[in-house]
Amino acid sequence: MSGIKHFLDLDQHDTQTLRSILDTGLAFKQGKGEEEPLKGKTLVLIFEKPSTRTRVSFEVGMQELGGRVIVLEGDSCQLGRGETVADTARVLSRYVDAIMIRTDDPAKLADLAQYSTVPVINGLTDDSHPCQLMADVMTFEEHLGPIAGRTVVWCGDGNNVATSWIQAAVRFNFSLKLACPDQLMPAAGALEWARGEGGDITVTTDVDSAVKDADCVVTDTWVSMGDDAAESRHNLLAPYRVDARLMGLARPDALFMHCLPAHRGEEVTADIIDGPRSVVWDEAENRLHAQKGVLAWCMRN
Ligand code: CP
Ligand code: NVA
């Protein structure tokens, strides 16, 4: 390996590294972090898919750490006209100190990391969303204390965010139950990896039994960026909607989480996402703090 500190997926890092990134992020949040540790450094953000939170939190976070940001939209740079990911990686590495990319195909992320000589950060692919999970673990622990040994239940599509939850469950040592329709189960490779690592992961189609006694109930959009067959997804996922009845099966102090953007009345009802157990705004804020931990880990000398 090159020794370059890429942040591509949670399964590539040990618990100690991930914990230390979270501690650094929390220190920044509490105003106890080092002053401008990334002064003079430049981060490029590449977006081949839309974003609100990822774009703004990385941009603000980098600036708060003393650095600069350049944003490239996929269709306004040569990547969108067929320049290879490898060539893009080689060129950008001559100008900047780190690259964050949001893209569809995880092979593009892997290529970027292979050919870049500066750290690459995964800002979401069709397969995973590790930065989201750093924020989510931080948020859980701020509200309910250590996540180790607790039970989180994922309801709905076994998508990219679900995969990062699976990897987080192993690394942060909590139980994860995924309630998904048969046609939309989480990635087999992620489940196999997690079980090989001794993770406490359960997969079921029975959402009611999964949610019983949960410490945290999580869901996500029924139609992720790039998904088709929206109508059939809606039909399959309707029984997995998080509403007051379903939340009533969880522990009385259970949290509700959602990475956002949300679709009220689809994967979650308004009374739940806008209600007292929802911590979705804290999750969104913690993207900023957790990612400052990631940026400092990747780029600090
Ligand atoms: N949760 C998340 O990644 O949001 P954006 O798509 O707005 O970046
Ligand atoms: N699963 C969603 C997450 C958005 C942040 C998507 O990929 O569109």
Side-chain angles (χ1 to χ4, degrees):
M1 249 319 260
S2 59
I4 301 167
K5 289 157 116 184
H6 297 305
F7 191 78
L8 304 182
D9 270 311
L10 302 183
D11 60 356
Q12 299 181 10
H13 303 289
D14 59 25
T15 302
Q16 199 187 346
T17 301
L18 296 174
R19 270 281 161 216
S20 125
I21 291 172
L22 277 187
D23 290 347
T24 304
L26 210 49
F28 285 127
K29 181 172 184 176
Q30 294 164 348
K32 298 179 194 153
E34 190 187 331
E35 283 282 311
E36 302 205 321
L38 301 183
K39 198 169 163 57
K41 307 257 187 204
T42 304
L43 169 71
V44 67
L45 305 176
I46 305 175
F47 287 99
E48 294 196 305
K49 289 185 176 198
S51 168
T52 298
R53 280 144 289 270
T54 303
R55 175 172 176 163
V56 178
S57 58
F58 267 109
E59 196 156 345
V60 171
M62 188 63 183
Q63 285 165 0
E64 288 182 359
L65 296 177
R68 288 180 296 258
V69 176
I70 295 167
V71 181
L72 290 180
E73 312 277 356
D75 56 4
S76 68
C77 66
Q78 300 290 8
L79 200 51
R81 292 184 61 247
E83 184 167 20
T84 66
V85 172
D87 288 356
T88 304
R90 292 178 178 114
V91 171
L92 292 178
S93 298
R94 300 291 178 106
Y95 302 135
V96 304
D97 301 285
I99 304 168
M100 188 236 68
I101 186 166
R102 167 170 286 196
T103 188
D104 47 8
D105 186 351
K108 291 193 203 169
L109 174 76
D111 263 11
L112 198 65
Q114 181 177 347
Y115 293 101
S116 171
T117 57
V118 299
V120 171
I121 299 168
N122 177 0
L124 179 145
T125 71
D126 287 353
D127 280 11
S128 63
H129 197 4
C131 291
Q132 182 67 51
L133 262 292
M134 295 300 275
D136 291 355
V137 171
M138 181 183 276
T139 306
F140 181 103
E141 297 196 327
E142 284 178 338
H143 285 272
L144 292 185
I147 197 167
R150 309 299 289 270
T151 300
V152 175
V153 179
W154 175 273
C155 301
D157 183 16
N159 65 13
N160 46 2
V161 180
T163 289
S164 290
W165 271 103
I166 291 168
Q167 295 176 350
V170 171
R171 291 300 183 238
F172 292 100
N173 197 26
F174 59 89
S175 301
L176 179 67
K177 297 181 183 175
L178 299 121
C180 313
D182 275 328
Q183 296 87 334
L184 296 170
M185 282 288 168
L191 292 171
E192 197 182 324
W193 171 81
R195 289 181 179 136
E197 294 283 314
D200 183 3
I201 314 281
T202 312
V203 179
T204 178
T205 56
D206 183 349
V207 67
D208 283 15
S209 70
V211 167
K212 195 170 174 307
D213 298 328
D215 294 300
C216 176
V217 177
V218 196
T219 191
D220 188 11
T221 179
W222 287 347
V223 185
S224 284
M225 294 178 277
D227 280 343
D228 47 21
E231 192 181 331
S232 95
R233 289 176 156 273
H234 277 242
N235 292 335
L236 289 168
L237 288 161
Y240 297 81
R241 174 179 298 122
V242 181
D243 58 12
R245 186 199 65 81
L246 193 64
M247 275 307 282
L249 302 175
R251 288 172 56 92
D253 62 347
L255 306 177
F256 171 75
M257 283 194 176
H258 189 313
C259 65
L260 306 177
H263 306 79
R264 288 172 176 75
E266 294 183 13
E267 72 272 11
V268 59
T269 52
D271 56 328
I272 295 302
I273 192 167
D274 299 319
R277 292 160 165 199
S278 172
V279 292
V280 298
W281 315 123
D282 294 338
E283 275 182 275
E285 179 186 332
N286 282 334
R287 293 292 302 279
L288 170 67
H289 308 299
Q291 285 161 195
K292 284 165 82 173
V294 172
L295 290 167
W297 175 79
C298 287
M299 275 183 273
R300 201 155 40 184
N301 293 330

